[in-house]
Amino acid sequence: MTIKDWIFVLAISGLGMMTANLIGFDVAFSESLPGVLVLLLIALCAAGLAHVIPLKLPTVAYCSLLGLLCACPLSPVSQFVIESAGKINFTAPLTMVGAFAGMSISNQLKMFFKQGWKLIIITVLVMTGTFFGSLIVAQVVLRLTHVI
Amino acid sequence: MKKVERAYASLRERVRMEWILYLLAFVFILIADSIGQIKIPVWKGTFIIFPIFYALFLGINAGANISIVISAGPALLLQEFGNLCTIFLAMPVALLLGLKREAIGATHSINRETNLALMQDMFGADSPEAQGSLSVYIVGGMVGTIYFGFIASMAAATGLFHPYALGMASGVGAGILMSSAVAALSEVMPAWADQIAAMASASETISGIDGIYMAIFLGVPLCNFLYRKLEPTLGRITKSGRELAGKN
């Protein structure tokens, strides 16, 4: 992807987020705009970093790190970043993920339904494992540290 | 890192090929967000390129709450490693059911948006790993909220676990799952509702910060390791597993 592609794709996502924020949460375009721009800028920088830095880290990792740095108390722009990003409802970008996720399985829909029961078993196990794994560790450590 | 690059000669070509997808995405946004919390996936075409925003949101959220992380104590931090337990539970079963590389994407984490983006980023949007992740994401979106609330109240009913621990376990890096677990727990233990909610959101915040790094540095390597060890045996027990093994 060239930088032009990135900017284009990010602009589309930005519009998607603002639309979702408007329809779902009644936040006006003008109000979402600063937050969206902040997010897009961080995303673009992350894409650039992933391109420049020879480490084999995924773009998302840089994205999350940059977001963390921008919003942490040491950052001079943290107030602005937190405030403007706070205007965008957390689930606003997720609608778009859903839309693209749906589209991307469309051509394998038959396979998806045929495999459906397997996927349900696996999903249920993944959730059970995640919940009980952290539940047991939390319980043991709380005991050991005499919090409970 | 294997990466499937989508080759377009120019931006104009990309737009010509993909404009319908963007348009559809917007239509879906209009529909989905008008309805609110219920998300409907609608089908048409193929295109995924959404690595970014979820991680970003989580990152920003975390930066704002960093003092919680420090004050919430060792249990809160260590229980994050508990989230990895799911790999030991789900990976062998996925292999038994005949999944191949899909199993890595499907079981490396609870597979919410960030993880979906991560799998696409690490393995490529068309990779089996990303497909596995997408499948669990979609099924999780459909049955997840109901099931997560259910196991939370079941766990509470055993009487073995402290409400603090139950609260922490509810924060797994997915807002809707956390809300459903907290709602279920508050119903069962109304006296502890506030503490449960506080522990859950602290744990949720921490998962938001570390979830992606856990997946990159521990989850995926662990999945790869287990896959190499288990697939040659568990993956060949069922007929469909053997058939697929021949193809790969």
Side-chain angles (χ1 to χ4, degrees):
Chain A
M1 298 238 295
T2 65
I3 187 154
K4 240 161 74 185
D5 286 295
W6 271 106
I7 293 174
F8 173 71
V9 174
L10 288 173
I12 294 273
S13 334
L15 277 176
M17 274 197 266
M18 292 201 289
T19 313
N21 218 21
L22 176 70
I23 311 260
F25 309 97
D26 285 324
V27 182
F29 261 46
S30 54
E31 225 177 307
S32 322
L33 191 65
V36 168
L37 286 179
V38 165
L39 296 177
L40 297 185
L41 193 67
I42 296 176
L44 192 63
C45 293
L49 279 179
H51 191 71
V52 175
I53 298 175
L55 284 176
K56 285 193 175 177
L57 273 180
T59 315
V60 241
Y62 292 110
C63 219
S64 159
L65 259 181
L66 277 179
L68 199 67
L69 286 177
C70 290
C72 81
L74 293 174
S75 148
V77 289
S78 70
Q79 206 61 24
F80 173 72
V81 169
I82 292 166
E83 233 167 70
S84 52
K87 294 258 169 56
I88 299 159
N89 195 286
F90 186 77
T91 58
L94 306 189
T95 318
M96 209 165 189
V97 190
F100 281 112
M103 290 197 272
S104 71
I105 61 157
S106 60
N107 62 346
Q108 324 151 20
L109 206 55
K110 227 188 222 158
M111 196 278 287
F112 195 82
F113 280 120
K114 227 175 80 189
Q115 299 259 310
W117 64 276
K118 291 183 184 174
L119 297 174
I120 291 172
I121 293 176
I122 293 167
T123 305
V124 161
L125 283 178
V126 167
M127 291 193 168
T128 312
T130 308
F131 186 82
F132 280 97
S134 85
L135 179 59
I136 290 163
V137 176
Q139 177 78 13
V140 170
V141 178
L142 285 170
R143 271 276 155 74
L144 290 178
T145 52
H146 304 291
V147 179
I148 54 172
Chain B
M1 199 175 345
K2 284 179 289 176
K3 197 148 186 178
V4 186
E5 292 281 353
R6 305 229 163 214
Y8 288 107
S10 67
L11 184 56
R12 181 175 299 167
E13 194 187 328
R14 170 187 291 273
V15 175
R16 217 187 51 221
M17 299 294 289
E18 296 176 345
W19 67 272
I20 186 87
L21 298 173
Y22 303 133
L23 192 72
L24 276 169
F26 276 87
V27 174
F28 300 158
I29 291 172
L30 293 181
I31 300 170
D33 270 307
S34 306
I35 296 167
Q37 281 301 330
I38 309 159
K39 305 282 188 307
I40 349 168
V42 189
W43 344 91
K44 177 96 180 65
T46 12
F47 176 66
I48 323 174
I49 198 161
F50 269 83
I52 307 279
F53 299 104
Y54 336 105
L56 195 54
F57 263 96
L58 292 169
I60 286 177
N61 197 10
N65 287 301
I66 212 130
S67 56
I68 297 178
V69 179
I70 297 156
S71 62
L76 213 38
L77 292 174
L78 286 171
Q79 56 92 24
E80 292 296 308
F81 291 94
N83 291 346
L84 293 169
C85 295
T86 193
I87 295 169
F88 296 102
L89 185 68
M91 172 69 88
V93 179
L95 290 174
L96 272 176
L97 290 172
L99 271 77
K100 295 296 164 201
R101 297 289 300 177
E102 290 85 359
I104 290 171
T107 65
H108 84 285
S109 75
I110 197 145
N111 273 306
R112 296 325 294 161
E113 287 77 9
T114 334
N115 304 104
L116 191 60
L118 182 68
M119 289 296 103
Q120 290 171 16
D121 208 6
M122 286 178 89
F123 298 100
D126 291 330
S127 63
E129 290 88 346
Q131 280 174 16
S133 173
L134 184 64
S135 306
V136 173
Y137 171 75
I138 291 171
V139 179
M142 296 190 286
V143 300
T145 46
I146 300 168
Y147 181 70
F148 214 64
F150 169 75
I151 47 172
S153 47
M154 285 294 114
T158 63
L160 295 171
F161 302 103
H162 193 273
Y164 285 179
L166 289 164
M168 287 181 197
S170 308
V172 288
I176 43 166
L177 296 184
M178 182 194 81
S179 325
S180 102
V182 170
L185 290 171
S186 308
E187 197 101 321
V188 188
M189 321 172 137
W192 293 91
D194 286 347
Q195 286 94 325
I196 290 169
M199 285 299 174
S201 50
S203 160
E204 177 75 13
T205 303
I206 300 173
S207 299
I209 306 176
D210 71 21
I212 185 152
Y213 306 104
M214 291 287 243
I216 296 171
F217 297 112
L218 295 171
V220 173
L222 182 60
C223 277
N224 272 322
F225 173 79
L226 278 183
Y227 185 84
R228 274 200 307 276
K229 292 278 169 234
L230 298 178
E231 195 276 332
T233 47
L234 289 181
R236 312 292 158 94
I237 290 174
T238 54
K239 191 162 157 269
S240 69
R242 280 194 299 276
E243 280 167 6
L244 286 167
K247 275 189 222 161
N248 282 4

Coordinates of all heavy atoms in Angstrom, one line a residue, chain B residues 35-69:
Chain B
I35 N -30.4 1.1 14.1 CA -30.9 0.1 15.0 C -30.3 0.1 16.4 O -31.0 -0.1 17.4 CB -30.7 -1.3 14.4 CG1 -31.5 -1.4 13.1 CG2 -31.2 -2.4 15.3 CD1 -31.2 -2.6 12.2
G36 N -29.0 0.5 16.4 CA -28.4 0.6 17.7 C -27.5 -0.6 18.0 O -26.7 -1.0 17.1
Q37 N -27.6 -1.1 19.2 CA -26.7 -2.2 19.6 C -26.7 -3.5 18.8 O -25.8 -4.2 18.8 CB -26.9 -2.5 21.1 CG -26.2 -1.5 22.0 CD -24.7 -1.3 21.8 OE1 -24.1 -2.3 21.4 NE2 -24.2 -0.2 22.0
I38 N -27.8 -3.7 18.1 CA -27.9 -5.0 17.4 C -27.1 -4.8 16.1 O -27.5 -3.9 15.3 CB -29.4 -5.4 17.1 CG1 -30.2 -5.3 18.3 CG2 -29.4 -6.7 16.4 CD1 -31.7 -5.2 18.1
K39 N -26.1 -5.6 15.9 CA -25.4 -5.5 14.6 C -25.8 -6.5 13.6 O -25.9 -7.7 14.0 CB -23.9 -5.7 14.9 CG -23.3 -4.7 16.0 CD -23.1 -3.4 15.4 CE -22.4 -2.5 16.4 NZ -23.0 -2.3 17.7
I40 N -26.1 -6.1 12.4 CA -26.4 -7.1 11.4 C -25.3 -7.1 10.3 O -25.1 -6.1 9.6 CB -27.7 -6.8 10.5 CG1 -28.4 -5.6 11.2 CG2 -28.5 -8.0 10.3 CD1 -29.5 -5.1 10.2
P41 N -24.6 -8.3 10.2 CA -23.7 -8.4 9.1 C -24.5 -8.7 7.8 O -25.4 -9.5 7.8 CB -22.8 -9.6 9.5 CG -23.4 -10.1 10.7 CD -24.7 -9.4 11.0
V42 N -24.2 -8.0 6.7 CA -24.9 -8.2 5.4 C -23.8 -8.7 4.5 O -22.6 -8.3 4.6 CB -25.6 -6.9 4.9 CG1 -26.4 -7.2 3.7 CG2 -26.4 -6.3 6.1
W43 N -24.1 -9.5 3.5 CA -23.1 -10.1 2.7 C -23.1 -9.6 1.2 O -24.1 -9.5 0.6 CB -23.3 -11.6 2.6 CG -24.3 -12.1 3.7 CD1 -25.6 -12.2 3.6 CD2 -23.9 -12.5 5.0 NE1 -26.1 -12.7 4.8 CE2 -25.1 -12.8 5.7 CE3 -22.7 -12.5 5.7 CZ2 -25.2 -13.2 7.0 CZ3 -22.8 -12.9 7.1 CH2 -24.0 -13.3 7.7
K44 N -21.9 -9.3 0.7 CA -21.7 -9.0 -0.7 C -20.2 -8.6 -0.9 O -19.7 -7.7 -0.3 CB -22.6 -7.9 -1.1 CG -22.4 -7.4 -2.5 CD -23.4 -8.1 -3.5 CE -23.2 -7.6 -4.9 NZ -21.9 -8.0 -5.5
G45 N -19.5 -9.4 -1.8 CA -18.2 -9.0 -2.1 C -17.1 -9.5 -1.2 O -17.4 -10.3 -0.3
T46 N -15.8 -9.1 -1.5 CA -14.8 -9.5 -0.6 C -13.8 -8.3 -0.4 O -13.3 -7.8 -1.4 CB -13.9 -10.6 -1.2 OG1 -14.2 -10.8 -2.5 CG2 -14.0 -11.9 -0.4
F47 N -13.5 -8.0 0.8 CA -12.6 -6.9 1.1 C -12.5 -6.8 2.6 O -13.5 -6.7 3.3 CB -13.1 -5.6 0.5 CG -12.2 -4.4 0.8 CD1 -11.0 -4.4 0.3 CD2 -12.7 -3.4 1.6 CE1 -10.1 -3.3 0.6 CE2 -11.9 -2.3 1.9 CZ -10.6 -2.3 1.4
I48 N -11.3 -6.9 3.1 CA -11.1 -6.5 4.5 C -9.8 -5.6 4.6 O -8.8 -6.0 4.1 CB -10.8 -7.7 5.4 CG1 -11.6 -8.9 5.0 CG2 -11.1 -7.3 6.9 CD1 -11.2 -10.1 5.8
I49 N -9.9 -4.5 5.2 CA -8.7 -3.8 5.4 C -9.0 -2.9 6.6 O -9.2 -1.7 6.5 CB -8.3 -3.0 4.2 CG1 -6.8 -2.6 4.3 CG2 -9.1 -1.8 3.9 CD1 -6.2 -2.3 3.0
F50 N -9.1 -3.5 7.8 CA -9.4 -2.6 8.9 C -8.6 -2.8 10.1 O -9.0 -3.1 11.2 CB -10.9 -2.7 9.2 CG -11.4 -1.6 8.4 CD1 -11.8 -1.8 7.1 CD2 -11.4 -0.3 8.9 CE1 -12.1 -0.8 6.3 CE2 -11.8 0.7 8.2 CZ -12.1 0.5 6.9
P51 N -7.3 -2.6 9.9 CA -6.4 -3.0 11.0 C -6.4 -2.1 12.2 O -6.0 -2.5 13.3 CB -5.0 -3.0 10.4 CG -5.2 -2.7 8.9 CD -6.6 -2.1 8.8
I52 N -7.0 -1.0 12.2 CA -6.5 0.1 13.0 C -7.3 0.5 14.2 O -6.8 0.5 15.4 CB -6.2 1.3 12.2 CG1 -5.3 0.9 11.0 CG2 -5.6 2.4 13.0 CD1 -3.9 0.8 11.3
F53 N -8.5 0.9 14.0 CA -9.2 1.8 15.0 C -9.4 1.3 16.4 O -9.4 2.0 17.3 CB -10.5 2.3 14.4 CG -10.2 3.1 13.2 CD1 -10.4 2.5 11.9 CD2 -9.5 4.3 13.2 CE1 -10.0 3.2 10.8 CE2 -9.2 4.9 12.1 CZ -9.4 4.4 10.9
Y54 N -9.6 0.0 16.4 CA -10.0 -0.6 17.7 C -8.9 -0.6 18.6 O -9.0 -0.1 19.8 CB -10.5 -2.0 17.4 CG -11.0 -2.0 16.0 CD1 -10.2 -2.6 15.0 CD2 -12.0 -1.2 15.6 CE1 -10.6 -2.4 13.7 CE2 -12.4 -1.0 14.3 CZ -11.6 -1.6 13.3 OH -11.9 -1.4 12.0
A55 N -7.7 -0.9 18.1 CA -6.5 -0.9 18.9 C -6.3 0.5 19.4 O -5.9 0.8 20.6 CB -5.3 -1.4 18.1
L56 N -6.5 1.4 18.5 CA -6.2 2.8 18.8 C -7.1 3.3 19.9 O -6.6 4.0 20.8 CB -6.5 3.6 17.5 CG -6.1 4.9 17.4 CD1 -4.6 4.9 17.7 CD2 -6.3 5.5 16.0
F57 N -8.4 3.0 19.8 CA -9.3 3.4 20.8 C -8.9 2.9 22.1 O -8.9 3.6 23.1 CB -10.7 2.9 20.5 CG -11.5 4.0 19.8 CD1 -11.6 4.0 18.4 CD2 -12.2 4.9 20.5 CE1 -12.3 5.0 17.8 CE2 -12.9 5.9 19.9 CZ -13.0 5.9 18.5
L58 N -8.6 1.6 22.1 CA -8.2 1.0 23.4 C -7.0 1.6 23.9 O -6.9 1.9 25.1 CB -8.0 -0.5 23.1 CG -9.2 -1.3 22.8 CD1 -8.9 -2.7 22.3 CD2 -10.2 -1.3 24.0
G59 N -6.0 1.9 23.1 CA -4.8 2.6 23.5 C -5.1 3.9 24.2 O -4.6 4.2 25.3
I60 N -5.9 4.7 23.5 CA -6.2 6.0 24.1 C -6.9 5.9 25.4 O -6.6 6.6 26.4 CB -7.0 6.8 23.0 CG1 -6.1 7.3 21.9 CG2 -7.7 8.0 23.7 CD1 -6.7 8.0 20.8
N61 N -7.9 5.0 25.4 CA -8.6 4.7 26.6 C -7.7 4.4 27.8 O -7.8 4.9 28.9 CB -9.5 3.6 26.3 CG -10.6 3.4 27.3 OD1 -10.8 4.3 28.2 ND2 -11.4 2.3 27.3
A62 N -6.7 3.6 27.5 CA -5.8 3.1 28.5 C -4.9 4.2 29.0 O -4.7 4.4 30.2 CB -4.9 2.0 27.9
G63 N -4.4 5.0 28.1 CA -3.6 6.2 28.5 C -4.3 7.0 29.5 O -3.7 7.5 30.5
A64 N -5.6 7.2 29.3 CA -6.3 8.1 30.2 C -6.5 7.5 31.6 O -6.7 8.2 32.6 CB -7.7 8.4 29.6
N65 N -6.4 6.1 31.7 CA -6.7 5.5 32.9 C -5.5 4.8 33.6 O -5.6 3.9 34.4 CB -7.8 4.4 32.7 CG -9.1 5.0 32.5 OD1 -9.6 5.7 33.3 ND2 -9.7 4.7 31.3
I66 N -4.3 5.3 33.2 CA -3.1 4.5 33.6 C -2.9 4.4 35.1 O -2.4 3.4 35.6 CB -1.9 5.1 32.9 CG1 -0.9 4.0 32.6 CG2 -1.2 6.2 33.7 CD1 -0.4 4.0 31.2
S67 N -3.5 5.3 35.9 CA -3.3 5.2 37.3 C -4.1 4.0 37.9 O -3.7 3.5 38.9 CB -3.7 6.5 38.0 OG -5.0 6.8 37.6
I68 N -5.2 3.7 37.3 CA -6.0 2.5 37.8 C -5.1 1.3 37.7 O -5.0 0.5 38.6 CB -7.2 2.2 36.9 CG1 -8.2 3.4 37.0 CG2 -7.9 0.9 37.3 CD1 -9.4 3.2 36.1
V69 N -4.3 1.2 36.6 CA -3.5 0.0 36.4 C -2.5 -0.2 37.6 O -2.3 -1.2 38.1 CB -2.7 0.1 35.1 CG1 -1.8 -1.1 34.9 CG2 -3.6 0.4 33.9

